[in-house]
Amino acid sequence: MSLRVKVLAAIGAMLIALVGLLFHVSFAIVLRGFSQLEAQYTIRDVARVREALADELANLDSMTSDYAFWDDTYAYMLSRNPAYVTVNFVDQTFLNNRLNVVLLFDTAGQLVYGKAFDRDQAVEIPLPDGLLEQVARLLPLTDVESYQRGMLPLPEEPMLLAARPILTSEALGPPHGTLVMGRALDATLVNRLAEALHLSFTVHRVADADLPADAKAVVGDLQGDEAVIRVLNQDTIVGYGQVRDIFGQPGYMVRVEQPRDIYAQGLATARYFGAAVLLIAVGFSVFGLWGLDRWVLRRVLRLGASLEHIAANSAFAQRVEVAGKDEIARLAAAVNHLLGAVEMAHAQLREDIAQRERVEQYLKAQRDLALELSRVHEVKEALQRCLEAALQLPGLDCGGVFQVEPETGDCRLLECKGCSAAFETMLSHLEKTWNESHTAALPAWLEEAARAEGICSIISEPIRQNENGAIVAHLIVASRTLDEIPEPLRRVLTAMAAQTGNAVSQLEAREEARRHRDVLQTLMEELPVAVFCKDPDGRFVMWNRKCEALFGLTREQVLGKTDYDFFPKEQADWFREKDLKVFAQRAVMVIPEEPVDSPTLGRRILCTRKSAIWDKEGKPLYLIGVSEDITERKEAEERLAAAHAELQAAVVRANQMAMVAEAASRAKSEFLANMSHEIRTPMNGIMGMIELALQTELTPLQREYLTMAQASAETLLALLNDILDLSKIEAGRLELDQVDFDLRQVVEQVIDIIAPRAAQRGLELICRVDPAVPSYVCGDPLRLRQILVNLAGNSVKFTERGEISIEVTLANQDAEGVEILCAVSDTGIGIPPEKLEVIFESFVQAETGTTRHYGGTGLGLAISRQLVHMMGGRIWAESRGIPGEGSTFRFTARLQRAKGVLPEQLPFAKPPLEGLRVLVVDDNATNRRIVQEMLHTFAQLVPACPSI
Ligand code: ADP
């Protein structure tokens, strides 16, 4: 059923009910009004009847007064003249005055005169029964003012009665009796009164048996003067009123019966009124319903339809029509307002759902990454997974992952995904930037350059830091759609980076642990000692290869077993006792000799060290045993002890022999040293003679022979000199001089000696003494020169072409003296590196062919070394053995500072070169440098060139 039908039906029903109600209410109100009016009228009628009765009584009383206050009556009472009554109370008097009874009483209350009259019959009748008894109760009326008036309750019918004292006309007394007049309240009187009142009423004695039923029913309700109303039937209403008799007793009632004209009128009025109300209500209802439909229902239904449409299509952006300014229009406006709120809430909801979906996506990506990371085995792989997972996130398109190489410390782009070639190049440039800056911050140029590549936003996340806090792995991701990476996405990236960082740490830790384990394992396996490990119950948990070899038991056989599984009980008990002691004492136990029977090696002696490991709570974890097989050592020691004893004896013998040999050697050296003069003198003689013979006239052949003899003699003399020098040194007979000398002069002398030979071979001879080297020193100039000549002589000898250079520099100096460093270099055949040491030994030459080709004895360097040692220095050779590259001999020597001053060394007068330009020209670079150095002290600018 539609709303319209429902509303119209409901309102219709309500209107009908309302109209019905209205009708009934109005009907009831109108009728009630009329009923009340009817009752009021009836009450008034009852009162009118009472008044009429009272008026009747008053009339009777007035008449009674007229007769009682009349002098005739007064006189009569004294005279009792019958004429009075005969004249005054004739029948006509009764008829005219509507009297029924006249009574005259004397003052004693005795009836003087009494007459009763039936007015209907117009005849005198006897006095009614009981009249006199009742009247007697009212007498006497002695007072002028006193009187009696009321209704006398006679058995037949009530009588209106008035009694007055008989007085003079001036109402003066004394009273001569009482006049009583009565008027019967009979049907005639009642009818007359009813006619006069236009009413229908009756007077009843309450105690009457033939009282009408309705009157009988209200007897109990009659109180005082209140009238009681009863509707007798549809057409008749009755009013009852109580009437008191002359004695004040409520013995009578008046019953006024009225037709219900007012009620009938009211009924008709109410009916007309109801019909009118009905008509008006129907009219109003029709108009109201039409208006309701027109102005309310239709609009509400239209509003409902619009809302239905909006709801069905979720078209919260639409608005309902707002027409007019009434409540429905306000409702529509409110609905529109509500729709606005719903639209916003809907949008917010959609945004929330999208947000939740994104968060779920993020969480899933994180979970997936965690799963992936749990499967990877390498750091690189973990970083790649991190990048892949990051690029799964919505809005992120491309990126790269960087790693700092642990070995080199260089930051490197490990992987790039989804990047254009240009962006990849930019990322690779970051390697350099980050290597220089050591930060993970993105340089400004990157963001600018990336924007040109269509990248809207870019973010860098540190994945891992090393123990110094330096970032060692970065993640960079970029978006081509998001202008800014939203905060939740950033947080996810941070979380992913941290997750990866943790995974990397774990991988590294695992790798480190694995390496340590491998190292430990290898170490264990390779150790030449047996290593085993037991748990607190004595079960083996580790057993290395040496153990296997020593005890003949494989690891598989041993692990998880105890000593009792392999050794006799006594021995196993012994092992166990020691183990428990180690656990208890918390100290390393050394068992120096532990005999063990090996199934493969027989009886072995072990030296075992046992120690224990405890956990943090001090609970024993493991016992580590290290057993060294000292069987061989023990045997060797025994052998050694025997050998030692033998050696002792041999040493004693050797010492004796050495002493003998030393004595012999010294004797030989001393002999040679002593023979020096004797050997050299004949040689000088021979050479002198040859010299002299060469100056004589000789044939070319003789000259050739003599020249050859001279050469041989010189060679022999040199050899002799060397042998003698060596002998002297070995015999400890050589002593160095300590004299002041000019170092530069010594070097020049060397040059003088060598120069001819060098020139002969076409060799360039270069000499340089560093200016820092002091010229005047104290030492043995001859021996120094000998060393230099030896070295330079060798250089000339072993060099075919090139140059020989002698250089003296200052190595060290202090207050007492200087240490000079002399270097003699050549460009000769060089010396093989393995010979660089042995050539300094006596009679040793670098090559066996050397003697034949170059001659020599192999003594020069040995002597030089001895002399250098005596001068507190050392000598060594440097060469790579490459011909043409030559060799360099260096030696150091300590010289004392000169005691005096060398005359030539007095302050040097500078040549007047100041301000001049000096051009040094030489094809040899070393020479140019030497001259340049010398001139440098005189002139500031010394350009040099190889040639002009
Ligand atoms: P020798 O009289 O044989 O030269 P030395 O003691 O002076 O005896 O030298 C020993 C050896 O050292 C030489 O035989 C030679 O093999 C090698 N030697 C010494 N100086 C040089 C050098 N300047 N160039 C190459 N070899 C050299």
Side-chain angles (χ1 to χ4, degrees), residues 386-397:
C386 178
L387 176 61
E388 282 163 14
L391 294 185
Q392 295 290 316
L393 294 172
L396 300 181
D397 313 295

Side-chain angles (χ1 to χ4, degrees), residues 125 202 228 233 238 290 402 580 627 832 840 851 854 911 914:
I125 55 170
T202 50
V228 174
N233 53 43
V238 182
W290 175 81
F402 292 76
L580 291 174
S627 296
F840 289 98
T851 327
Y854 297 102
E914 204 59 56

Side-chain angles (χ1 to χ4, degrees), residues 255-492:
R255 179 176 177 276
V256 182
E257 192 175 303
Q258 284 285 74
R260 300 193 69 190
D261 295 341
I262 294 173
Y263 179 75
Q265 184 63 41
L267 202 61
T269 307
R271 279 185 184 135
Y272 286 124
F273 179 73
V277 165
L278 199 66
L279 269 175
I280 292 166
V282 168
F284 272 110
S285 302
V286 169
F287 179 75
L289 287 175
W290 175 81
L292 183 73
D293 185 53
R294 166 81 175 74
W295 293 309
V296 179
L297 275 179
R298 254 188 250 173
R299 290 167 66 197
V300 169
L301 288 174
R302 229 180 10 247
L303 186 65
S306 297
L307 282 175
E308 210 172 315
H309 172 77
I310 288 169
N313 300 309
S314 298
F316 302 116
Q318 282 185 16
R319 295 289 178 266
V320 296
E321 183 193 342
V322 180
K325 288 181 178 172
D326 54 9
E327 285 79 358
I328 295 179
R330 284 210 295 278
L331 175 68
V335 165
N336 281 344
H337 193 66
L338 196 68
L339 278 173
V342 169
E343 186 186 3
M344 274 168 65
H346 190 249
Q348 182 64 43
L349 189 69
R350 276 214 306 260
E351 175 58 26
D352 286 352
I353 290 170
Q355 177 86 11
R356 207 170 55 220
E357 280 172 1
R358 274 201 299 279
V359 168
E360 272 168 20
Q361 240 175 326
Y362 295 164
L363 289 175
K364 183 174 175 311
Q366 272 182 265
R367 277 199 303 275
D368 290 351
L369 176 60
L371 196 68
E372 289 286 328
L373 289 174
S374 68
R375 291 182 187 143
V376 300
H377 299 290
E378 283 182 26
V379 172
K380 185 178 165 191
E381 217 180 330
L383 296 177
Q384 285 168 339
R385 289 294 97 80
C386 178
L387 176 61
E388 282 163 14
L391 294 185
Q392 295 290 316
L393 294 172
L396 300 181
D397 313 295
C398 55
V401 65
F402 292 76
Q403 187 190 10
V404 174
E405 301 250 15
E407 293 82 16
T408 59
D410 288 345
C411 186
R412 197 165 63 81
L413 176 61
L414 194 70
E415 172 113 359
C416 212
K417 268 196 181 296
C419 304
S420 63
F423 187 53
E424 189 168 344
T425 314
M426 287 175 213
L427 290 186
S428 58
H429 283 148
L430 270 182
E431 292 178 350
K432 194 162 163 279
T433 311
W434 281 346
N435 268 332
E436 283 164 5
S437 68
H438 298 293
T439 68
L442 290 173
W445 63 259
L446 178 71
E447 294 191 35
E448 275 170 33
R451 212 163 290 132
E453 275 300 300
I455 284 170
C456 304
S457 54
I458 184 162
I459 184 171
S460 154
E461 273 296 335
I463 292 180
R464 180 155 156 63
Q465 295 180 322
N466 64 13
E467 56 279 1
N468 304 325
I471 297 168
V472 291
H474 309 265
L475 171 71
I476 280 196
V477 280
S479 172
R480 293 191 176 94
T481 49
L482 302 173
D483 281 335
E484 197 184 346
I485 308 286
E487 193 51 36
L489 192 53
R490 272 172 189 272
R491 282 204 296 274
V492 175

Side-chain angles (χ1 to χ4, degrees), residues 854-876:
Y854 297 102
T857 57
L859 282 175
L861 290 179
I863 292 166
S864 298
R865 185 164 71 171
Q866 296 287 3
L867 292 174
V868 164
H869 282 174
M870 290 176 77
M871 290 182 188
R874 66 187 188 92
I875 185 166
W876 70 98

